[in-house]
Amino acid sequence: MGGVSFDGGSPPPSYPGKLTPYVLLTVLAGAAGGLIFGYDLGISGGVTSMAPFLEKFFPDVYERQQSITSTNQYCKFNSPTLQLFTSSLYLAALFASLAAGEVTKKFGRRISMMMAGFIFLFGAALNAGAVHLSMLILGRILLGIGIGFANQSVPLYLSEMSPYNYRGRFNICFQLMITIGILCANLINFGTAKISGGWGWRLSLGLAGVPAVIILIASFFLSDTPNSMVQRGREIEAKALLKRIRGVDNVDAEFNDMLAAKNEADLVESPWRNLFGTKCYRPQLAMSILIPFFQQFTGINVIMFYAPVLFQSLGFGSDASLISSVITGVVNMFATGVSIYGSDRWGRRSLFLEGGVQMFIFQSLIAGLIGWRFGVSGNVTDIPFWFAAVVVVCICVYVMGFAWSWGPLGWYPSEIFPLEVRSAAQSVTVAVNMAFTFIVGQCFLTMLCSMKYGLFIFFAFFVAVMTLFCYFFMPETKNIPIEEMTQVWRSHWFWKRFMNEPKIRPSP
């Protein structure tokens, strides 16, 4: 139900070209934008499990943590203010991504990436020097603005720079950088938690400036994408760049498709009005909303940015919880490599389906284990080693399933949009992603306290629903040139009914 056949049964078009060292270095440098998002995902949970940090900014949580060991394990970290510290970033990223859409369209992908680095760097400095909760939250908001700009522009940059037959693996480099950022953050947290004097959390938060500097420096040396140049009327430069990144002189077919896409974009009066008001964009709009929605309701961010807190809530010691989060970070990073290898060989859809089944099975096992050991009271004082090991293994296998499917392929929408709505639609994707990351981050500890082990059943239900959605409604996009992607929807059994609707044109 997800196969692709072009009109008349013809194969998808192909363009001449090869993988050049220039495009390889460019894509890897651009993908470094994922480091800032990954570092923050990893650093937040570790910092919020450090006693000196809690004592300074969240004394109610600190006092509850220091109380008798038989306290309810489900509720020991429950604090709306603590959740606000983590989730405020994602609310800021939501609004920033909408503004970034216009910046990316008018000034190019590279400028948005540069702005992301600058703003994230200021936020990191503010957090490292925070002396009051309001200063801490303001720093988080600046970090969120930086992430909003990066997550809006980097996936588009990678999709447009990559040769069509390498686009899947290069897009996944963004997620690989996120996983590297998470792992580095986990390792840093493990080290800074042992610093005497109680200032280790400042180092953890301040080192967020390192990935910000990396993307900032990279953005000064990167070229913009040929697609973006064409969209802004710089056709001669765009064709010269296209020859350089493809390694051949004959780029007429691909360049002509870019010009056709640009001419079509010029006939569109308002990208936002067309995206939401025209049925022919309904398939892309559905994917730009549902894919990031489902990605967040896999429950992965519960594992990633609350991993140390979650493991401590399950009765692990402070060091054990940080070590366990490092283990999951390593698994996440290496499993992402499977997706890099397989996305252009096995296809996006098959990875979505396999990953969904795997996550459902092991999230259900995690719910069963926690429910069996903790029940609904959560009052457990002794966690046997074998139980802790089994929980960590189940979480790691669950993370593997996410890391080669819904993690990297959650940015699948960036490659399916036509040029005329591409920047606006990517803003929708990032905004939805950040909106539901905020909701999950703001509600998780409260939900864990109230739903107990049922929280993991809650997320497993959504994993089952999204896997069925992929089976019936997701087309395969491997080896399809980005400016030919409309044909994918025209040939899909369900979405083709929307594709003949007229677009909203400017008044004559």
Side-chain angles (χ1 to χ4, degrees):
M1 291 186 179
V4 178
S5 61
F6 279 63
D7 295 341
S10 61
S14 60
Y15 301 136
K18 57 188 177 182
L19 182 61
T20 62
Y22 177 79
V23 78
L24 184 61
L25 290 173
T26 298
V27 166
L28 290 176
L35 288 173
I36 61 176
F37 190 28
Y39 187 87
D40 183 80
L41 281 174
I43 213 70
S44 302
V47 166
T48 53
S49 70
M50 294 181 187
F53 176 82
L54 293 175
E55 185 177 15
K56 183 173 183 62
F57 296 106
F58 306 97
D60 58 327
V61 179
Y62 176 76
E63 291 169 7
R64 194 180 310 131
Q65 187 187 29
Q66 301 303 310
S67 64
I68 56 175
T69 57
S70 61
T71 189
N72 187 331
Q73 297 294 320
Y74 291 124
C75 300
K76 65 190 295 184
F77 285 94
N78 183 26
S79 167
T81 311
L82 181 60
Q83 291 174 126
L84 181 63
F85 163 75
T86 299
S87 59
S88 58
L89 178 148
Y90 304 103
L91 190 61
L94 186 164
F95 292 106
S97 66
L98 299 176
E102 284 301 308
V103 174
T104 303
K105 178 184 176 182
K106 292 181 178 180
F107 302 103
R109 288 46 167 153
R110 187 177 71 92
I111 295 298
S112 283
M113 293 161 64
M114 190 181 299
M115 291 178 64
F118 268 122
I119 298 169
F120 197 88
L121 183 60
F122 284 129
L126 200 59
N127 271 353
V131 294
H132 189 270
L133 181 60
S134 59
M135 190 175 175
L136 198 67
I137 299 298
L138 179 59
R140 294 287 292 172
I141 290 172
L142 289 176
L143 296 179
I145 294 172
I147 286 175
F149 272 83
N151 286 12
Q152 198 281 338
S153 56
V154 173
L156 288 184
Y157 186 87
L158 300 181
S159 289
E160 293 178 345
M161 288 294 285
S162 304
Y164 72 95
N165 52 336
Y166 286 92
R167 192 178 60 245
R169 67 195 76 178
F170 282 164
N171 276 351
I172 292 167
C173 286
F174 179 61
Q175 181 68 20
L176 178 64
M177 291 298 181
I178 291 176
T179 65
I180 291 172
I182 291 171
L183 178 59
C184 290
N186 288 336
L187 291 169
I188 288 168
N189 279 335
F190 183 70
T192 57
K194 299 180 181 298
I195 294 177
S196 60
W199 56 271
W201 63 268
R202 293 190 183 276
L203 186 59
S204 289
L205 295 178
L207 285 174
V210 174
V213 169
I214 291 173
I215 183 60
L216 186 58
I217 292 175
S219 65
F220 276 104
F221 295 97
L222 293 174
S223 60
D224 216 327
T225 70
N227 311 65
S228 178
M229 288 180 174
V230 167
Q231 188 177 29
R232 290 178 287 132
R234 297 164 57 187
E235 288 90 351
I236 296 175
E237 295 172 71
K239 190 168 186 177
L241 176 62
L242 190 61
K243 290 179 180 180
R244 184 179 183 188
I245 64 178
R246 299 294 181 252
V248 295
D249 289 329
N250 180 19
V251 295
D252 289 345
E254 185 173 3
F255 185 69
N256 288 338
D257 278 348
M258 289 182 187
L259 290 177
K262 189 255 186 184
N263 292 335
E264 183 70 17
D266 289 343
L267 295 176
V268 171
E269 183 175 24
S270 167
W272 290 96
R273 187 179 168 200
N274 267 274
L275 184 62
F276 286 97
T278 308
K279 286 186 177 180
C280 67
Y281 298 115
R282 198 60 50 81
Q284 296 96 325
L285 180 62
M287 291 295 169
S288 69
I289 292 172
L290 290 174
I291 295 298
F293 166 79
F294 284 136
Q295 186 191 51
Q296 295 314 307
F297 277 81
T298 60
I300 188 62
N301 280 346
V302 169
I303 301 297
M304 285 316 190
F305 60 61
Y306 282 121
V309 170
L310 176 61
F311 284 125
Q312 279 193 259
S313 293
L314 296 178
F316 291 51
S318 179
D319 277 356
S321 71
L322 287 171
I323 291 172
S324 298
S325 64
V326 169
I327 292 171
T328 57
V330 171
V331 168
N332 188 27
M333 184 182 72
F334 281 101
T336 302
V338 174
S339 192
I340 292 176
Y341 176 82
S343 63
D344 288 316
R345 290 177 171 86
W346 310 322
R348 284 67 150 159
R349 185 171 176 270
S350 59
L351 288 172
F352 270 120
L353 294 175
E354 190 284 329
V357 171
Q358 182 173 329
M359 285 190 292
F360 175 79
I361 291 171
F362 282 89
Q363 198 155 49
S364 300
L365 283 174
I366 293 167
L369 286 166
I370 294 174
W372 170 66
R373 186 69 190 176
F374 291 86
V376 295
S377 70
N379 290 320
V380 177
T381 57
D382 180 45
I383 303 295
F385 175 80
W386 68 265
F387 177 84
V390 170
V391 170
V392 171
V393 168
C394 286
I395 287 176
C396 285
V397 179
Y398 161 82
V399 169
M400 283 182 193
F402 177 85
W404 59 53
S405 63
W406 281 86
L409 299 176
W411 302 105
Y412 163 93
S414 69
E415 69 178 9
I416 66 174
F417 308 128
L419 183 63
E420 63 265 23
V421 296
R422 189 172 296 157
S423 188
Q426 180 64 11
S427 292
V428 172
T429 298
V430 178
V432 172
N433 186 294
M434 293 301 143
F436 286 101
T437 304
F438 169 78
I439 291 170
V440 171
Q442 186 63 27
C443 299
F444 165 65
L445 294 176
T446 301
M447 292 171 71
L448 179 63
C449 184
S450 59
M451 297 176 68
K452 283 60 176 187
Y453 64 89
L455 178 60
F456 297 93
I457 299 175
F458 171 82
F459 286 122
F461 167 77
F462 278 100
V463 171
V465 171
M466 71 194 199
T467 303
L468 290 172
F469 170 80
C470 288
Y471 181 78
F472 288 106
F473 298 109
M474 177 174 285
E476 181 54 67
T477 58
K478 72 171 182 177
N479 295 332
I480 309 295
I482 192 169
E483 302 301 355
E484 297 286 341
M485 201 63 69
T486 301
Q487 297 301 324
V488 171
W489 308 103
R490 292 189 184 280
S491 58
H492 188 271
W493 73 273
F494 179 79
W495 299 116
K496 64 183 180 181
R497 70 192 67 187
F498 299 102
M499 296 309 297
N500 292 324
E501 293 290 329
K503 300 173 184 178
I504 300 173
R505 306 295 191 184
S507 302

